């Protein structure tokens, strides 16, 4: 499937971005510009229902971060940054359910 918009081959841009692994700051700047443009396209195409759903779930990340703060998960991850830690060990240290924490 070919994706083109206003004469621009989007697949070609994606391929170029994926193959430009060593371009450093130029690649990062281009990536950010493309992400911003993609969000603007998404917002302009979404239906009012999709916009409501996006707003409804946008606070989810902040809520999760608040819970992680309360159980001191961030502190544990910082303290153990030099070594891997399993979900089960994290659950034990935070006194949470390993299945829930793993999600």
């Amino acid at each position: 499937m070919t994706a083109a918009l206003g004469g621009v081959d989007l697949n070609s841009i994606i391929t170029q971005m994926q193959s430009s692994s060593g371009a450093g700051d130029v690649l990062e700047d281009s990536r950010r510009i493309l992400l911003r443009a993609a969000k603007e396209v998404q917002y302009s195409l979404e239906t009012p229902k999709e916009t409501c759903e996006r707003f409804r779930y946008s606070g989810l990340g902040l809520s999760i971060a608040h819970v992680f703060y309360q159980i001191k998960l961030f502190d544990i991850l910082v303290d153990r940054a030099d070594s891997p830690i399993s979900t089960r060990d994290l659950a034990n240290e935070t006194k949470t359910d390993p299945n829930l924490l793993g999600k």
Side-chain angles (χ1 to χ4, degrees), residues 2-13 34:
T2 302
L5 183 63
V8 176
D9 180 4
L10 299 176
N11 290 328
S12 174
I13 292 172
L34 285 172

Side-chain angles (χ1 to χ4, degrees), residues 7-57:
V8 176
D9 180 4
L10 299 176
N11 290 328
S12 174
I13 292 172
I14 292 168
T15 302
Q16 289 175 11
M17 293 295 291
Q18 290 172 338
S19 65
S20 301
S21 60
D25 291 339
V26 173
L27 177 62
E28 183 62 20
D29 291 343
S30 298
R31 188 186 68 79
R32 288 181 186 202
I33 290 168
L34 285 172
L35 281 173
R36 193 173 315 119
K39 284 181 184 178
E40 289 176 18
V41 169
Q42 174 192 348
Y43 297 159
S44 69
L45 293 175
E46 67 187 13
T47 66
K49 181 182 178 192
E50 291 165 336
T51 302
C52 287
E53 288 175 355
R54 179 169 48 87
F55 288 150
R56 180 173 24 167
Y57 295 115

